Amino acid sequence: ERESGLGIEMVFGQDLLELIPGLTPAALAGAYCPTDGHADPMRTVSAFVRAALRHGVNLDLDCPVLGFGVKGNRVKTVRTPRGDIHCDGVVLTAGAWTPSLAASIGLHLPFEPQGLQMMVTPRYPSALTQVLGWVGQGISLKQVPSGGFVIGGGWPGEVELDSYRTRLLPGSMTKSARTAVGLFPRLASASILRAWVGIEAFSPDNLQAIGPAPTVENLFLAAGFSGHGFALGPGVGRLIAQYITTGELPMLFYPFDPYRFSKQEEG
């Protein structure tokens, strides 16, 4: 990670406990990145929306995409309940719903939808500035500026893609809470204010698919982020914009070619 340019350092013993007051005394060492951080998803998306509108983007939040009209090897229209929208190109970034839309033009993406559970506590005085993980355990723990602790880590919930419905699993909630308390014991008396299940698309190799569609020349794919879309999205979006405006595919996208799945099946 250091060779890749990340400012990560190892912190041991008492130094670790002084860096993160309230951490379990059983912690022996940690990898610490001073430039790491976190953001509120709703506020971040809203900020991007406002910025897009300022730059002249037309946005329709209540217009589901049903499929595409293709002529030859190009997408000509995006089909919606309000009628077809003519287009010169399409960037398909529909998360777990990407495979069904891609299938409408004969493109197979072997993504698996998964539900990942999140929980939030009531507000507490500021006690944690870092984002905590635990090697070998399912936990992502942070305290947001408003005071609530957000607990994640990949614990499963149930999802129904067609109806957009999700369901929390009590066993997952119990195990997630137990893991959070084991890492940060002062949460032992905390209650859960809210919990939900987010719907993610996981690829067979847990890496995203980004690049031109292998069979349609003006369709660009960015999906299958396997739980990392919020972290990678802003950078990926910037590079997609670069590709659209220059016609040159950024080298950073090469390892994530969507055609790799077809190659694996052929092999």
Side-chain angles (χ1 to χ4, degrees):
E1 291 175 331
R2 286 173 177 167
E3 291 175 356
S4 298
L6 295 177
I8 292 179
E9 57 188 85
M10 293 299 297
V11 184
F12 299 92
Q14 187 60 33
D15 290 338
L16 180 61
L17 299 180
E18 292 176 0
L19 177 66
I20 309 173
L23 186 69
T24 172
L28 300 179
Y32 173 56
C33 182
T35 58
D36 196 8
H38 55 89
D40 181 290
M42 297 299 291
R43 292 182 178 180
T44 301
V45 172
S46 295
F48 273 111
V49 168
R50 291 194 299 271
L53 293 174
R54 287 198 302 270
H55 286 80
V57 170
N58 294 319
L59 181 67
D60 193 336
L61 295 177
D62 190 25
C63 187
V65 174
L66 304 177
F68 307 104
V70 178
K71 186 175 181 180
N73 64 341
R74 294 182 62 84
V75 177
K76 293 294 185 179
T77 59
V78 177
R79 293 174 177 163
T80 80
R82 302 182 186 176
D84 291 351
I85 300 173
H86 295 273
C87 61
D88 294 321
V90 173
V91 179
L92 179 52
T93 60
W97 292 268
T98 299
S100 60
L101 290 172
S104 69
I105 54 175
L107 181 61
H108 174 62
L109 294 173
F111 296 163
E112 177 187 356
Q114 293 186 22
L116 302 182
Q117 170 194 279
M118 300 291 291
M119 302 190 297
V120 177
T121 73
R123 298 179 180 182
Y124 290 95
S126 179
L128 180 64
T129 58
Q130 299 85 7
V131 179
L132 300 185
W134 187 356
V135 175
Q137 305 292 327
I139 182 67
S140 171
L141 178 66
K142 55 184 173 284
Q143 187 177 22
V144 297
S146 60
F149 286 86
V150 180
I151 304 169
W155 292 96
E158 293 183 348
V159 301
E160 297 177 6
L161 280 184
D162 293 341
S163 63
Y164 292 84
R165 295 178 65 87
T166 63
R167 189 169 73 89
L168 291 159
L169 299 177
S172 287
M173 297 179 68
T174 299
K175 293 174 183 177
S176 179
R178 185 182 299 130
T179 305
V181 172
L183 180 63
F184 205 69
R186 66 175 59 184
L187 289 177
S189 60
S191 59
I192 298 300
L193 179 66
R194 186 166 64 94
W196 70 95
V197 175
I199 303 175
E200 294 274 2
F202 282 75
S203 71
D205 55 11
N206 287 329
L207 296 174
Q208 56 273 12
I210 307 175
T215 56
V216 183
E217 66 179 40
N218 65 335
L219 178 68
F220 194 94
L221 295 167
F225 282 81
S226 306
H228 303 291
F230 183 62
L232 300 176
V236 171
R238 181 181 292 273
L239 291 174
I240 291 176
Q242 175 183 320
Y243 168 71
I244 292 172
T245 54
T246 66
E248 298 181 5
L249 187 69
M251 291 188 63
L252 286 172
F253 285 165
Y254 284 14
F256 310 112
D257 179 7
Y259 186 50
R260 72 182 187 273
F261 303 119
S262 299
K263 293 176 180 178
Q264 292 168 2
E265 292 178 358
E266 293 171 0

